[in-house]
Amino acid sequence: MIRFLQLLLACLAFAAIGFFLLQDAPTEQPSKYKFFAAKYQPESQEYKDLYAHYSTLEDVPMPVGSWEGYSSNGHHFLLKVNEKGGFVLSLNPNANDTSEGAVTGVLNITGQAFRAHHVIGSAKNIIPKSGHIVVKQYTVNQVLIIHPRTLEVVTFNRVVS
């Protein structure tokens, strides 16, 4: 009988300890995909309107080849596009160090703009979630693209190899 009371007291003590420990436990689990969803940036309404305008214009050709561009805040861009629209866009945020990220995917032309699909890579935050890339002007050796965050015009020049 004494052993039974000791067992009952031990169970009661563990239950009380467990109750107080669980009071501080979080009530809901954090989303394990939260980090990846936060990488994509929403477009501003101004950029959505720009895309809506430029996508109604006459189609520009696919910018096949290698392109290089610099933005005013020191970002260095390298863009390689194949005949079917597959692309690799690498971004070096400090233009003179080795911290580069790359985005890969497929471009589809919609008027004087592109839409990037199947975007993967560590620099996804430079392409909006919708994938809209506005081309302000296109020539054989130069492509002017409007940056989706700053609305700055980034000039890409063809790299001759």
Side-chain angles (χ1 to χ4, degrees):
M1 184 68 177
I2 294 176
R3 296 279 181 202
F4 179 70
L5 287 176
Q6 287 175 340
L7 177 66
L8 194 57
L9 282 173
C11 290
L12 188 61
F14 284 129
I17 291 170
F19 175 77
F20 288 112
L21 287 177
L22 290 177
Q23 292 301 313
D24 294 334
T27 56
E28 60 184 54
Q29 293 285 343
S31 173
K32 65 181 181 179
Y33 300 109
K34 184 177 179 182
F35 175 75
F36 296 111
K39 280 188 167 187
Y40 282 120
Q41 302 288 331
E43 290 176 298
S44 66
Q45 188 59 45
E46 187 177 4
Y47 192 78
K48 286 179 184 176
D49 295 342
L50 278 174
Y51 179 79
H53 169 71
Y54 281 99
S55 64
T56 61
L57 302 177
E58 186 178 335
D59 284 356
V60 296
M62 185 64 69
V64 175
S66 297
W67 304 82
E68 182 177 32
Y70 292 91
S71 67
S72 65
N73 55 1
H75 290 176
H76 177 219
F77 301 97
L78 289 173
L79 174 66
K80 294 184 180 185
V81 182
N82 66 24
E83 294 82 15
K84 294 187 178 186
F87 75 93
V88 176
L89 173 64
S90 64
L91 163 69
N92 187 338
N94 298 312
N96 53 4
D97 68 5
T98 58
S99 60
E100 244 182 68
V103 177
T104 61
V106 179
L107 296 177
N108 290 339
I109 296 174
T110 56
Q112 195 168 331
F114 297 107
R115 178 126 189 242
H117 295 278
H118 310 298
V119 177
I120 58 172
S122 60
K124 282 193 248 189
N125 58 354
I126 61 173
I127 294 180
K129 187 175 184 177
S130 64
H132 297 162
I133 303 168
V134 174
V135 179
K136 184 173 182 179
Q137 186 178 355
Y138 179 87
T139 63
V140 176
N141 293 319
Q142 199 173 60
V143 178
L144 302 179
I145 293 177
I146 299 175
H147 193 284
R149 307 286 169 266
T150 62
L151 299 179
E152 162 194 11
V153 177
V154 179
T155 304
F156 282 85
N157 294 310
R158 185 181 291 278
V159 177
V160 181
S161 46

mmCIF file of all heavy atoms in Angstrom, residues 127-156:
data_model
loop_
_atom_site.group_PDB
_atom_site.id
_atom_site.type_symbol
_atom_site.label_atom_id
_atom_site.label_comp_id
_atom_site.label_asym_id
_atom_site.label_seq_id
_atom_site.Cartn_x
_atom_site.Cartn_y
_atom_site.Cartn_z
ATOM 1 N N ILE A 127 13.774 39.896 -58.396
ATOM 2 C CA ILE A 127 12.685 39.719 -59.362
ATOM 3 C C ILE A 127 11.389 39.663 -58.562
ATOM 4 O O ILE A 127 11.298 38.945 -57.573
ATOM 5 C CB ILE A 127 12.880 38.440 -60.189
ATOM 6 C CG1 ILE A 127 14.118 38.585 -61.077
ATOM 7 C CG2 ILE A 127 11.656 38.149 -61.040
ATOM 8 C CD1 ILE A 127 14.400 37.384 -61.935
ATOM 9 N N PRO A 128 10.371 40.436 -58.965
ATOM 10 C CA PRO A 128 9.106 40.427 -58.207
ATOM 11 C C PRO A 128 8.458 39.050 -58.213
ATOM 12 O O PRO A 128 8.761 38.210 -59.058
ATOM 13 C CB PRO A 128 8.237 41.432 -58.956
ATOM 14 C CG PRO A 128 9.123 42.156 -59.878
ATOM 15 C CD PRO A 128 10.339 41.344 -60.083
ATOM 16 N N LYS A 129 7.553 38.834 -57.290
ATOM 17 C CA LYS A 129 6.877 37.542 -57.159
ATOM 18 C C LYS A 129 6.143 37.162 -58.441
ATOM 19 O O LYS A 129 6.094 36.009 -58.813
ATOM 20 C CB LYS A 129 5.918 37.599 -55.985
ATOM 21 C CG LYS A 129 5.287 36.278 -55.655
ATOM 22 C CD LYS A 129 4.451 36.385 -54.407
ATOM 23 C CE LYS A 129 3.900 35.033 -54.032
ATOM 24 N NZ LYS A 129 3.152 35.072 -52.792
ATOM 25 N N SER A 130 5.580 38.145 -59.123
ATOM 26 C CA SER A 130 4.855 37.863 -60.359
ATOM 27 C C SER A 130 5.784 37.545 -61.527
ATOM 28 O O SER A 130 5.354 37.018 -62.534
ATOM 29 C CB SER A 130 3.992 39.066 -60.737
ATOM 30 O OG SER A 130 4.831 40.162 -61.018
ATOM 31 N N GLY A 131 7.075 37.878 -61.399
ATOM 32 C CA GLY A 131 8.045 37.610 -62.458
ATOM 33 C C GLY A 131 8.108 38.672 -63.526
ATOM 34 O O GLY A 131 8.814 38.524 -64.511
ATOM 35 N N HIS A 132 7.405 39.782 -63.375
ATOM 36 C CA HIS A 132 7.362 40.827 -64.394
ATOM 37 C C HIS A 132 8.681 41.585 -64.478
ATOM 38 O O HIS A 132 9.179 42.081 -63.478
ATOM 39 C CB HIS A 132 6.245 41.821 -64.100
ATOM 40 C CG HIS A 132 4.890 41.207 -64.130
ATOM 41 N ND1 HIS A 132 3.806 41.804 -63.563
ATOM 42 C CD2 HIS A 132 4.440 40.051 -64.671
ATOM 43 C CE1 HIS A 132 2.743 41.045 -63.746
ATOM 44 N NE2 HIS A 132 3.103 39.976 -64.401
ATOM 45 N N ILE A 133 9.230 41.677 -65.674
ATOM 46 C CA ILE A 133 10.454 42.438 -65.925
ATOM 47 C C ILE A 133 10.153 43.385 -67.078
ATOM 48 O O ILE A 133 9.904 42.945 -68.208
ATOM 49 C CB ILE A 133 11.632 41.515 -66.295
ATOM 50 C CG1 ILE A 133 11.859 40.487 -65.180
ATOM 51 C CG2 ILE A 133 12.892 42.316 -66.557
ATOM 52 C CD1 ILE A 133 12.785 39.370 -65.564
ATOM 53 N N VAL A 134 10.173 44.681 -66.818
ATOM 54 C CA VAL A 134 9.822 45.677 -67.831
ATOM 55 C C VAL A 134 11.072 46.074 -68.604
ATOM 56 O O VAL A 134 12.077 46.453 -68.023
ATOM 57 C CB VAL A 134 9.172 46.918 -67.183
ATOM 58 C CG1 VAL A 134 8.935 48.005 -68.210
ATOM 59 C CG2 VAL A 134 7.870 46.533 -66.513
ATOM 60 N N VAL A 135 10.983 45.989 -69.928
ATOM 61 C CA VAL A 135 12.069 46.406 -70.815
ATOM 62 C C VAL A 135 11.702 47.778 -71.363
ATOM 63 O O VAL A 135 10.774 47.908 -72.156
ATOM 64 C CB VAL A 135 12.267 45.395 -71.965
ATOM 65 C CG1 VAL A 135 13.375 45.839 -72.891
ATOM 66 C CG2 VAL A 135 12.543 44.010 -71.414
ATOM 67 N N LYS A 136 12.427 48.802 -70.940
ATOM 68 C CA LYS A 136 12.108 50.156 -71.392
ATOM 69 C C LYS A 136 12.492 50.358 -72.852
ATOM 70 O O LYS A 136 11.767 50.983 -73.624
ATOM 71 C CB LYS A 136 12.818 51.188 -70.510
ATOM 72 C CG LYS A 136 12.461 52.599 -70.865
ATOM 73 C CD LYS A 136 13.026 53.596 -69.894
ATOM 74 C CE LYS A 136 12.564 54.984 -70.298
ATOM 75 N NZ LYS A 136 13.051 56.001 -69.410
ATOM 76 N N GLN A 137 13.662 49.828 -73.226
ATOM 77 C CA GLN A 137 14.127 49.981 -74.604
ATOM 78 C C GLN A 137 15.007 48.805 -74.951
ATOM 79 O O GLN A 137 15.739 48.285 -74.107
ATOM 80 C CB GLN A 137 14.908 51.285 -74.741
ATOM 81 C CG GLN A 137 15.313 51.612 -76.154
ATOM 82 C CD GLN A 137 16.045 52.942 -76.226
ATOM 83 O OE1 GLN A 137 16.165 53.649 -75.238
ATOM 84 N NE2 GLN A 137 16.535 53.263 -77.400
ATOM 85 N N TYR A 138 14.936 48.371 -76.212
ATOM 86 C CA TYR A 138 15.741 47.240 -76.664
ATOM 87 C C TYR A 138 16.434 47.600 -77.972
ATOM 88 O O TYR A 138 15.795 48.073 -78.905
ATOM 89 C CB TYR A 138 14.858 46.009 -76.886
ATOM 90 C CG TYR A 138 15.633 44.810 -77.382
ATOM 91 C CD1 TYR A 138 16.234 43.945 -76.498
ATOM 92 C CD2 TYR A 138 15.782 44.580 -78.747
ATOM 93 C CE1 TYR A 138 16.967 42.862 -76.940
ATOM 94 C CE2 TYR A 138 16.511 43.502 -79.211
ATOM 95 C CZ TYR A 138 17.102 42.639 -78.297
ATOM 96 O OH TYR A 138 17.836 41.582 -78.745
ATOM 97 N N THR A 139 17.745 47.412 -78.012
ATOM 98 C CA THR A 139 18.499 47.490 -79.265
ATOM 99 C C THR A 139 19.336 46.219 -79.354
ATOM 100 O O THR A 139 19.358 45.407 -78.427
ATOM 101 C CB THR A 139 19.410 48.731 -79.319
ATOM 102 O OG1 THR A 139 20.396 48.633 -78.284
ATOM 103 C CG2 THR A 139 18.623 50.020 -79.162
ATOM 104 N N VAL A 140 20.055 46.061 -80.455
ATOM 105 C CA VAL A 140 20.827 44.839 -80.660
ATOM 106 C C VAL A 140 21.917 44.681 -79.596
ATOM 107 O O VAL A 140 22.198 43.571 -79.147
ATOM 108 C CB VAL A 140 21.447 44.838 -82.074
ATOM 109 C CG1 VAL A 140 22.327 43.623 -82.279
ATOM 110 C CG2 VAL A 140 20.346 44.881 -83.118
ATOM 111 N N ASN A 141 22.530 45.773 -79.172
ATOM 112 C CA ASN A 141 23.640 45.703 -78.224
ATOM 113 C C ASN A 141 23.322 46.255 -76.842
ATOM 114 O O ASN A 141 24.212 46.321 -75.995
ATOM 115 C CB ASN A 141 24.857 46.447 -78.781
ATOM 116 C CG ASN A 141 25.424 45.746 -79.995
ATOM 117 O OD1 ASN A 141 25.504 44.528 -80.031
ATOM 118 N ND2 ASN A 141 25.788 46.513 -81.007
ATOM 119 N N GLN A 142 22.073 46.660 -76.597
ATOM 120 C CA GLN A 142 21.747 47.269 -75.316
ATOM 121 C C GLN A 142 20.282 47.007 -74.955
ATOM 122 O O GLN A 142 19.401 47.117 -75.799
ATOM 123 C CB GLN A 142 22.007 48.776 -75.392
ATOM 124 C CG GLN A 142 22.147 49.447 -74.062
ATOM 125 C CD GLN A 142 22.569 50.904 -74.240
ATOM 126 O OE1 GLN A 142 21.852 51.665 -74.878
ATOM 127 N NE2 GLN A 142 23.721 51.250 -73.684
ATOM 128 N N VAL A 143 20.058 46.652 -73.698
ATOM 129 C CA VAL A 143 18.700 46.458 -73.172
ATOM 130 C C VAL A 143 18.565 47.320 -71.927
ATOM 131 O O VAL A 143 19.387 47.228 -71.021
ATOM 132 C CB VAL A 143 18.435 44.976 -72.809
ATOM 133 C CG1 VAL A 143 17.052 44.811 -72.221
ATOM 134 C CG2 VAL A 143 18.595 44.081 -74.012
ATOM 135 N N LEU A 144 17.541 48.164 -71.889
ATOM 136 C CA LEU A 144 17.276 48.998 -70.715
ATOM 137 C C LEU A 144 16.111 48.372 -69.953
ATOM 138 O O LEU A 144 15.005 48.256 -70.483
ATOM 139 C CB LEU A 144 16.928 50.423 -71.125
ATOM 140 C CG LEU A 144 17.971 51.163 -71.969
ATOM 141 C CD1 LEU A 144 17.477 52.554 -72.324
ATOM 142 C CD2 LEU A 144 19.278 51.252 -71.232
ATOM 143 N N ILE A 145 16.380 47.947 -68.722
ATOM 144 C CA ILE A 145 15.372 47.280 -67.882
ATOM 145 C C ILE A 145 15.073 48.164 -66.682
ATOM 146 O O ILE A 145 15.982 48.733 -66.082
ATOM 147 C CB ILE A 145 15.884 45.894 -67.429
ATOM 148 C CG1 ILE A 145 16.002 44.978 -68.646
ATOM 149 C CG2 ILE A 145 14.963 45.285 -66.384
ATOM 150 C CD1 ILE A 145 16.554 43.614 -68.348
ATOM 151 N N ILE A 146 13.797 48.275 -66.327
ATOM 152 C CA ILE A 146 13.402 49.062 -65.163
ATOM 153 C C ILE A 146 13.475 48.169 -63.928
ATOM 154 O O ILE A 146 12.812 47.127 -63.871
ATOM 155 C CB ILE A 146 11.987 49.636 -65.345
ATOM 156 C CG1 ILE A 146 11.962 50.554 -66.570
ATOM 157 C CG2 ILE A 146 11.545 50.391 -64.096
ATOM 158 C CD1 ILE A 146 10.599 51.085 -66.927
ATOM 159 N N HIS A 147 14.300 48.573 -62.962
ATOM 160 C CA HIS A 147 14.466 47.791 -61.731
ATOM 161 C C HIS A 147 13.160 47.831 -60.942
ATOM 162 O O HIS A 147 12.603 48.897 -60.702
ATOM 163 C CB HIS A 147 15.611 48.384 -60.903
ATOM 164 C CG HIS A 147 16.079 47.502 -59.794
ATOM 165 N ND1 HIS A 147 15.370 47.356 -58.625
ATOM 166 C CD2 HIS A 147 17.166 46.715 -59.676
ATOM 167 C CE1 HIS A 147 16.007 46.523 -57.830
ATOM 168 N NE2 HIS A 147 17.107 46.112 -58.452
ATOM 169 N N PRO A 148 12.635 46.674 -60.512
ATOM 170 C CA PRO A 148 11.311 46.642 -59.871
ATOM 171 C C PRO A 148 11.235 47.305 -58.496
ATOM 172 O O PRO A 148 10.173 47.723 -58.083
ATOM 173 C CB PRO A 148 11.006 45.146 -59.755
ATOM 174 C CG PRO A 148 12.289 44.459 -59.954
ATOM 175 C CD PRO A 148 13.178 45.346 -60.727
ATOM 176 N N ARG A 149 12.339 47.414 -57.772
ATOM 177 C CA ARG A 149 12.298 48.030 -56.440
ATOM 178 C C ARG A 149 12.487 49.538 -56.498
ATOM 179 O O ARG A 149 11.737 50.292 -55.909
ATOM 180 C CB ARG A 149 13.395 47.476 -55.521
ATOM 181 C CG ARG A 149 13.448 46.021 -55.385
ATOM 182 C CD ARG A 149 12.326 45.486 -54.522
ATOM 183 N NE ARG A 149 12.299 44.048 -54.669
ATOM 184 C CZ ARG A 149 11.542 43.408 -55.540
ATOM 185 N NH1 ARG A 149 10.729 44.052 -56.306
ATOM 186 N NH2 ARG A 149 11.582 42.106 -55.630
ATOM 187 N N THR A 150 13.529 49.966 -57.221
ATOM 188 C CA THR A 150 13.890 51.386 -57.226
ATOM 189 C C THR A 150 13.313 52.132 -58.415
ATOM 190 O O THR A 150 13.403 53.357 -58.460
ATOM 191 C CB THR A 150 15.421 51.529 -57.247
ATOM 192 O OG1 THR A 150 15.929 50.930 -58.445
ATOM 193 C CG2 THR A 150 16.048 50.867 -56.031
ATOM 194 N N LEU A 151 12.769 51.424 -59.406
ATOM 195 C CA LEU A 151 12.274 51.980 -60.673
ATOM 196 C C LEU A 151 13.382 52.711 -61.428
ATOM 197 O O LEU A 151 13.109 53.550 -62.279
ATOM 198 C CB LEU A 151 11.053 52.892 -60.442
ATOM 199 C CG LEU A 151 9.852 52.203 -59.808
ATOM 200 C CD1 LEU A 151 8.718 53.195 -59.613
ATOM 201 C CD2 LEU A 151 9.387 51.034 -60.647
ATOM 202 N N GLU A 152 14.608 52.367 -61.120
ATOM 203 C CA GLU A 152 15.775 52.911 -61.821
ATOM 204 C C GLU A 152 15.964 52.131 -63.123
ATOM 205 O O GLU A 152 15.648 50.941 -63.201
ATOM 206 C CB GLU A 152 17.003 52.732 -60.917
ATOM 207 C CG GLU A 152 18.315 52.841 -61.622
ATOM 208 C CD GLU A 152 19.472 52.323 -60.780
ATOM 209 O OE1 GLU A 152 19.243 51.704 -59.737
ATOM 210 O OE2 GLU A 152 20.599 52.553 -61.205
ATOM 211 N N VAL A 153 16.451 52.781 -64.159
ATOM 212 C CA VAL A 153 16.721 52.120 -65.429
ATOM 213 C C VAL A 153 18.131 51.529 -65.367
ATOM 214 O O VAL A 153 19.111 52.242 -65.159
ATOM 215 C CB VAL A 153 16.592 53.098 -66.611
ATOM 216 C CG1 VAL A 153 16.958 52.400 -67.910
ATOM 217 C CG2 VAL A 153 15.177 53.650 -66.676
ATOM 218 N N VAL A 154 18.227 50.220 -65.514
ATOM 219 C CA VAL A 154 19.509 49.520 -65.511
ATOM 220 C C VAL A 154 19.853 49.173 -66.958
ATOM 221 O O VAL A 154 19.053 48.553 -67.655
ATOM 222 C CB VAL A 154 19.449 48.240 -64.650
ATOM 223 C CG1 VAL A 154 20.779 47.512 -64.672
ATOM 224 C CG2 VAL A 154 19.033 48.570 -63.227
ATOM 225 N N THR A 155 21.031 49.585 -67.399
ATOM 226 C CA THR A 155 21.466 49.356 -68.771
ATOM 227 C C THR A 155 22.284 48.082 -68.842
ATOM 228 O O THR A 155 23.303 47.943 -68.165
ATOM 229 C CB THR A 155 22.315 50.537 -69.267
ATOM 230 O OG1 THR A 155 21.543 51.740 -69.129
ATOM 231 C CG2 THR A 155 22.718 50.354 -70.715
ATOM 232 N N PHE A 156 21.838 47.134 -69.672
ATOM 233 C CA PHE A 156 22.579 45.905 -69.931
ATOM 234 C C PHE A 156 23.213 46.022 -71.309
ATOM 235 O O PHE A 156 22.519 46.266 -72.300
ATOM 236 C CB PHE A 156 21.657 44.687 -69.905
ATOM 237 C CG PHE A 156 21.295 44.223 -68.531
ATOM 238 C CD1 PHE A 156 20.237 44.785 -67.852
ATOM 239 C CD2 PHE A 156 22.019 43.220 -67.915
ATOM 240 C CE1 PHE A 156 19.898 44.369 -66.575
ATOM 241 C CE2 PHE A 156 21.697 42.796 -66.637
ATOM 242 C CZ PHE A 156 20.625 43.359 -65.980
#
